[in-house]
Every structure is written in structure tokens, then in C-alpha cells.
Amino acid sequence: MASVSFLLKEPSATKLTPIFAFLSFDGQRVKVYTGLSILPKQWLKAEQRAQERGLPDNGTLNDALKLAEEQLLDCYSQYRALGQLPSTEALRAAVQPVAAPVASTAPVAHSLWEYFDEWIALARAQQKPRSAQVYATAARHLREFSQASKYAVDFDTITPTFGDRYTTYLLHKVQLTDNTVAKQVLTLKRFLRWARDRGYTNATGFDRLSWKRQEPDIMTLTAGEVAALEQLALPAGGYLDNARQLFLLACYTGLRFSDLVSIRTEHLRGHSLRMTTQKTRETVTVPLRPEALTIVEQLLAGKVRAITNQKLNDYLKELGQLASIDAPTEIIRFRGGVRESTTVAKWERLGCHTGRRTFVTLSLERGLRPETIMKVTGHRGWKSFQRYVNVTSDAVEREFRQSWGQ
């Protein structure tokens, strides 16, 4: 867990002295210049804030210190959610003031690629590394298409005809599935709307771009499979036991990986977690069953350790194999509307997001109302929530017997 403290450069000085922030995390302590200064005699060391009584102007200084603290913690959380640690440069950039734009008498024309780079940079500046990564991937595919096909990509040339050529390229040259193609088209349209909203273009041809998304099969664990993981004998504190605890916490709470590894002490409110999700910035309250509360307390105490998403996914497959979660499972993909399927053992498909889907499905099977579950998971609408629902054959059979008295 990360924490921020403030220290004066010269605590005994009789003139203004700079205020430094220190971010402590994962055994490291990074010093960051805040750009703020104060007379030492006005500094409350115990509270790490400026004295406001009789000095009303110091209220603004304290607001700036609070903002710097939030920016540093947010920067840490964003990088930690990706399984990374922020560099000193990234932390310093997080609190660096942004200069106000200077009004220009004449508009400067930029290319589509320059505006795309601006969009990506804006996402990074807003501490959204995952979004920036998605945008950068979309820009890379678009550049490679332009180079491979000799198509002059610009605002005015992105039309339905462009869409036909671009989606054909993504399907056959890049070998993407229908759902990934749909994501690329959606990201491109999002960028183009962003550019149009800011007056960078008046183009409208891209509004008609589309690609049908095929709803994938949702894989979840049954209650019996979750129990098999819970009861699996493992060396306490080992890498597999650690991965199991993180995954079970996802099954018990429905939290995404990025939120699991961002849990801090201030999020724990008795027997629930109250936190703002990393992906959607929704504030959610998650009730904690006893097993979940135990894991959260171990996580806050450092007994359960955050690891990268990729490592967790690798370890989950190892866990699933040890727990004999090996029911034959079909993987269905669509490419150009053509169905492709392969069958694998269920453990081969285990991933961290399976925990969130399992939470939704098992909660429904236990009788929780969809509206209640959506409140916990932060889903705003039924359409997005429905993708997480997997009504198992056992549940269908049980409910059928209950309804018809068999």
C-alpha cells in the first residue's frame, strides 16, 4: 500500500522554503518536488499541513497539498493495476502543473496522426494507462493499414468504403476475430468523435462505420469448482496460495483485477469495501462475506501480495489443473461471421476475469436480484451486465424441478 508524507526542505529557515512530497510504496520511498513553498513557522508538522487559523490564504496551499497527495496515489494505483511500479519521472509528472493554453490568433492545422497522438497523450495525462494502451493499439493498426494498402487515411477519407477495406485488412491480414475488429472500429469512431467535438474536423462519413460484435460464451465456475479451489491443499504463503486468495476474492466480491490490487486501508468500512473503480470511476459498496473479509485483511497486512494480471492468469491455470477443473469447454470465435470452435479443458480458460463472472452467476443462483448485483459490480445497464451471466445447466434443471414440483 502507498502513503504520502510532506517535509520542508529547510524547517528552520526564516524565509519561504520548498515543500517536498515523499511517496512510500513497495519498499521504496520517492522524493517529489511539489512546486509549493511556505514559511516554516506556519507549518504544522504533525498535521503536515499549513496553519489556517489567522492565515486564510493558507487554505489554498492546503488544497494544493491535498491535490498533490491524490495525484501521487492515483498515479501509483494506475501503474499498480497494470502490474507495474511508477518511475520517479512518472510520479514527478503526475504533480507537474499543466500550463494554461495560450490563445492563438490563427488556427494551426494538424494531421489526423498528430491529433491521434494528442488523444493518446491526454489519456496518459489523465492517469488512464489502460485506455492509452487501447488507443495506441488502434493507432498502430490504422498506420499499418495505411502503409500496407497505400490508403491515404485522413478525416475526410474515413468513409464506409474505407470501412470495408479496413475491416477486411483486420480480418484477413491481422487475423483478428469479429469482436476484436468491432473493438477497433469502436475505438476509431470514439477518437473521431473526440476530434469533431473539439473542432478538429467536420467530417461525418465515419458515423456510418460499423462491425457486428458476436456475443461470446461466458465461462464461469460452479459452486463445486470454487469449493475445489478453496479446499485444495497448498503450501501456505506460496505463489499458488497467494494467487488462489486473489482469485477467490474476485469470486467473493466481483471486483476486477485492477480494483483487487488497488485496495487500500481507507476502502475498508467494517464488513464492506467502498471504493471508486479504476475502469469506470463508479463508486461501489461491496459487502464482504467472512471469507472475503479475511482475505482483504491479509491483503492490507501484506500477507497476500498483489501480482501482475498476466502472472495471475498463468498461476490460475496451474491451480485449475491441480483442482481437477477439467470439464470439456468449447471456445467459440467468429471471424467474418464464420463460427470457429475448439474444445479444451476448463482450466485452460481460467483467468482473473472468470472470478467476476463467477460472482455474478453464483449470486443469481443464490437468489440475489439482478439490480442488487449490478449495484455491487457497478454495471449501469442490463446489456453490459448480461454478458456476465452464465446460467448453468444444473441451475436450469434445479429451477425447472422447483417450478414443476418434480
Side-chain angles (χ1 to χ4, degrees), residues 177-235:
T177 63
D178 281 350
N179 285 355
T180 310
V181 172
K183 182 177 181 180
Q184 292 304 311
V185 171
L186 181 63
T187 304
L188 176 58
K189 291 179 70 173
R190 186 176 297 156
F191 158 67
L192 294 168
R193 290 193 186 102
W194 172 86
R196 187 167 64 189
D197 289 344
R198 281 152 184 78
Y200 298 159
T201 179
N202 293 319
T204 59
F206 67 82
D207 287 326
R208 289 171 286 167
L209 295 181
S210 65
W211 190 262
K212 185 178 179 180
R213 186 181 189 279
Q214 305 284 351
E215 289 301 328
D217 260 355
I218 297 300
M219 192 195 84
T220 65
L221 298 187
T222 65
E225 289 166 336
V226 173
L229 281 175
E230 293 170 333
Q231 296 162 13
L232 184 64
L234 295 170

Side-chain angles (χ1 to χ4, degrees), residues 66-353:
K66 182 180 179 182
L67 176 61
E69 181 176 4
E70 292 173 350
Q71 289 170 328
L72 289 170
L73 291 174
D74 283 346
C75 180
Y76 169 79
S77 296
Q78 292 287 341
Y79 275 87
R80 205 66 188 83
L82 294 174
Q84 304 171 5
L85 293 178
S87 65
T88 301
E89 292 74 19
L91 291 169
R92 288 173 178 167
V95 298
Q96 185 69 30
V98 180
V102 178
S104 174
T105 55
V108 179
H110 295 286
S111 70
L112 174 143
W113 305 112
E114 290 174 304
Y115 287 129
F116 221 131
D117 290 341
E118 179 185 336
W119 191 47
I120 296 168
L122 180 62
R124 292 196 178 105
Q126 293 174 338
Q127 305 298 317
K128 297 178 180 178
R130 292 186 71 86
S131 295
Q133 190 175 19
V134 170
Y135 302 163
T137 299
R140 175 174 59 82
H141 281 314
L142 193 61
R143 285 182 187 275
E144 291 173 354
F145 162 75
S146 179
Q147 294 165 0
S149 64
K150 309 300 181 185
Y151 191 97
V153 174
D154 207 340
F155 290 115
D156 293 331
T157 64
I158 298 179
T159 62
T161 300
F162 155 86
D164 293 340
R165 296 179 62 176
Y166 186 46
T167 52
T168 299
Y169 165 82
L170 292 176
L171 278 172
H172 301 295
K173 185 71 175 179
V174 190
Q175 293 288 298
L176 301 184
T177 63
D178 281 350
N179 285 355
T180 310
V181 172
K183 182 177 181 180
Q184 292 304 311
V185 171
L186 181 63
T187 304
L188 176 58
K189 291 179 70 173
R190 186 176 297 156
F191 158 67
L192 294 168
R193 290 193 186 102
W194 172 86
R196 187 167 64 189
D197 289 344
R198 281 152 184 78
Y200 298 159
T201 179
N202 293 319
T204 59
F206 67 82
D207 287 326
R208 289 171 286 167
L209 295 181
S210 65
W211 190 262
K212 185 178 179 180
R213 186 181 189 279
Q214 305 284 351
E215 289 301 328
D217 260 355
I218 297 300
M219 192 195 84
T220 65
L221 298 187
T222 65
E225 289 166 336
V226 173
L229 281 175
E230 293 170 333
Q231 296 162 13
L232 184 64
L234 295 170
Y239 74 98
L240 285 180
D241 184 42
N242 187 77
R244 171 172 62 181
Q245 299 305 314
L246 290 172
F247 180 69
L248 287 176
L249 186 56
C251 292
Y252 297 156
T253 63
L255 289 173
R256 299 180 183 89
F257 171 81
S258 58
D259 298 319
L260 287 176
V261 298
S262 300
I263 295 174
R264 299 202 294 263
T265 304
E266 57 267 30
H267 296 147
L268 184 58
R269 310 283 182 88
H271 289 77
S272 64
L273 288 172
R274 183 170 175 80
M275 61 193 305
T276 301
T277 62
Q278 297 288 320
K279 181 178 180 180
T280 63
R281 299 297 179 183
E282 286 282 316
T283 299
V284 296
T285 299
V286 183
L288 296 175
R289 51 197 273 194
E291 303 94 326
L293 180 58
T294 299
I295 298 175
V296 169
E297 290 173 343
Q298 291 176 338
L299 185 63
L300 295 176
K303 295 179 181 178
V304 174
R305 306 171 301 281
I307 58 177
T308 65
N309 197 332
Q310 184 58 55
K311 282 291 184 185
L312 180 56
N313 286 336
D314 291 341
Y315 296 157
L316 286 178
K317 291 172 178 56
E318 193 173 342
L319 281 167
Q321 192 171 16
L322 289 172
S324 299
I325 301 175
D326 51 12
T329 304
E330 188 177 24
I331 301 175
I332 300 174
R333 296 187 179 94
F334 290 88
R335 204 183 308 274
V338 178
R339 184 181 185 273
E340 301 173 357
S341 71
T342 55
T343 300
V344 299
K346 196 171 186 178
W347 61 263
E348 294 185 57
R349 290 189 61 192
L350 265 184
C352 184
H353 215 60

Side-chain angles (χ1 to χ4, degrees), residues 274 277 282-287 359 369-380 385:
R274 183 170 175 80
T277 62
E282 286 282 316
T283 299
V284 296
T285 299
V286 183
F359 168 79
R369 291 182 296 122
E371 295 85 354
T372 301
I373 302 171
M374 290 167 65
K375 192 73 174 176
V376 173
T377 57
H379 285 100
R380 298 178 184 176
F385 175 76

